[in-house]
Amino acid sequence: MSLTSMEAGGAQVVTVNAQRIDAAMAIQFKEDMRTETEAGPERVILDLSHVDFIDSSGLGAIVAAMKQLGKERKLDLAGLTPMVDKVFRLTRMDTVFNLYDTLQDALDPEHAAN
C-alpha cells in the first residue's frame, strides 16, 4: 500500500495512492498508517481521492487507524469518490468521521468541523 504524507494547514495529510482498500490491503494499510502517523499534529486528514473501492475490511482498517491515533488526535476523511462515499453513508460511518468533499474543503477553516 502506498501512502504519502505532508503537513498542511496545521494538519497531517495522508494520501492513499491506491484504487482499493480491501481485505487484501487492510493489514498493510493499518501498518502503514501507524508508521505515517506515529507522531505529528493533533489532526490527521486521510485523502481518499484515489480510492475507487472499499470493502468492510477497508472500513475496519480506517476505524483501526483512527483508534491508533488515540483520543487526543482526530482523523478526518477527504476526497471520497461517489462509491466510497456511498459505503461510508450506508454503514453510518459518516456519523463517526467528518467527511469532506475535497482535501481543500478539509483544510479550509470555514469548512472545518469542531
Side-chain angles (χ1 to χ4, degrees):
M1 165 116 330
S2 174
L3 300 178
T4 53
S5 179
M6 66 174 193
E7 284 199 30
Q12 179 180 9
V13 177
V14 179
T15 301
V16 179
N17 298 302
Q19 292 183 329
R20 301 172 67 90
I21 306 176
D22 55 19
M25 310 274 247
I27 292 171
Q28 188 65 49
F29 172 82
K30 284 190 285 191
E31 290 173 10
D32 291 352
M33 276 295 287
R34 180 176 27 250
T35 301
E36 288 291 332
T37 61
E38 273 182 321
E42 183 179 302
R43 183 176 185 222
V44 177
I45 301 169
L46 187 61
D47 178 4
L48 297 170
S49 58
H50 301 292
V51 179
D52 295 324
F53 177 83
I54 191 165
D55 67 6
S56 59
S57 297
L59 283 174
I62 291 174
V63 170
M66 175 188 70
K67 289 181 178 179
Q68 287 172 358
L69 291 176
K71 292 188 187 303
E72 67 283 349
R73 296 176 75 200
K74 177 177 164 180
L75 181 64
D76 291 338
L77 308 179
L80 282 67
T81 58
M83 185 64 79
V84 173
D85 183 72
K86 184 175 183 180
V87 170
F88 272 85
R89 293 185 192 285
L90 284 172
T91 57
R92 306 282 292 142
M93 286 290 116
D94 60 330
T95 64
V96 175
F97 297 98
N98 292 320
L99 306 181
Y100 297 91
D101 291 338
T102 66
L103 178 57
Q104 192 56 51
D105 284 347
L107 292 169
D108 184 344
E110 293 199 12
H111 286 101
N114 294 326

